[in-house]
Amino acid sequence: MVQDCVIETDLELLIPETYVSNISERLSLYSKLDNIKKEDDLMKFMESIRDRFGPVPKVVEDLFETVRLRWIAEELGFEKLVVKGQVMKCYFVAPEREKYFKSDTFGRILAFIQTQGKYCKIKEVKNRLILVISEVNSIAKAKKWLEQMKFS
């Protein structure tokens, strides 16, 4: 559906200096992580980090979860996710992508939203549809919402 989904957040998602002290090494790890496209490659990468630097801190685990979150968002047709202030905003593809809005995926998302009216609403801003979900205070919670949409 979507080639890439940009994620913006005010949550701490990083490889701490206390875990990987060399800045060029950290940048290299971020670059490698950004290019991973499959779960087994992500698991291998996580294992290699654990082997090199020791037990993986929670903040780094959250960074890995963000990669998984991005994959699901792309499958669902979101071009951008913003997770800030305990709210997740999911930006749908541009309106010109008419085929998407007639797809089963979009239909499933609409059906899901109808069952979650207390937490979910769609709004239109500058001719773009945005799904707004409240009470999203972590990457894990954001991922759980998207998984529910994907499998509903």
Side-chain angles (χ1 to χ4, degrees):
M1 285 282 172
V2 172
Q3 295 299 316
D4 193 25
C5 176
V6 175
I7 296 181
E8 294 177 16
T9 184
D10 58 2
L11 300 171
E12 190 175 50
L13 301 169
L14 53 86
I15 300 170
E17 191 177 327
T18 54
Y19 187 59
V20 178
S21 58
N22 183 308
I23 189 163
S24 59
E25 184 71 41
R26 278 198 316 275
L27 292 173
S28 171
L29 293 172
Y30 285 126
S31 179
K32 287 177 186 173
L33 184 60
D34 191 46
N35 289 310
I36 295 174
K37 302 295 178 204
K38 296 187 311 206
E39 180 64 29
D40 37 333
D41 293 337
L42 184 62
M43 295 304 290
K44 288 176 191 167
F45 182 69
M46 192 176 205
E47 193 57 44
S48 72
I49 286 179
R50 185 178 291 115
D51 289 346
R52 286 178 64 196
F53 303 106
V56 178
K58 170 89 171 85
V59 69
V60 177
E61 288 178 4
D62 287 347
L63 185 60
F64 289 142
E65 280 300 291
T66 304
V67 172
R68 292 180 179 109
L69 176 70
R70 187 176 74 206
W71 293 339
I72 299 168
E74 289 168 357
E75 281 182 62
L76 290 171
F78 297 124
E79 292 184 328
K80 180 178 174 183
L81 288 185
V82 178
V83 182
K84 292 183 178 177
Q86 299 202 10
V87 172
M88 178 168 60
K89 294 179 181 175
C90 309
Y91 292 75
F92 287 97
V93 296
E96 306 82 66
R97 307 255 322 259
E98 198 176 306
K99 186 177 173 187
Y100 169 78
F101 294 101
K102 295 176 180 174
S103 70
D104 289 342
T105 300
F106 185 67
R108 275 198 316 274
I109 292 170
L110 290 179
F112 176 79
I113 293 167
Q114 289 175 343
T115 68
Q116 299 295 325
K118 180 179 175 187
Y119 301 101
C120 302
K121 66 181 182 223
I122 287 188
K123 63 183 192 176
E124 189 173 351
V125 177
K126 296 180 183 169
N127 208 25
R128 294 294 296 265
L129 286 182
I130 303 169
L131 170 58
V132 181
I133 304 173
S134 59
E135 297 186 27
V136 180
N137 58 1
S138 68
I139 293 300
K141 185 96 173 202
K143 185 174 166 244
K144 186 175 179 182
W145 275 108
L146 293 191
E147 284 173 336
Q148 288 175 345
M149 271 181 246
K150 180 180 171 182
F151 297 113
S152 65

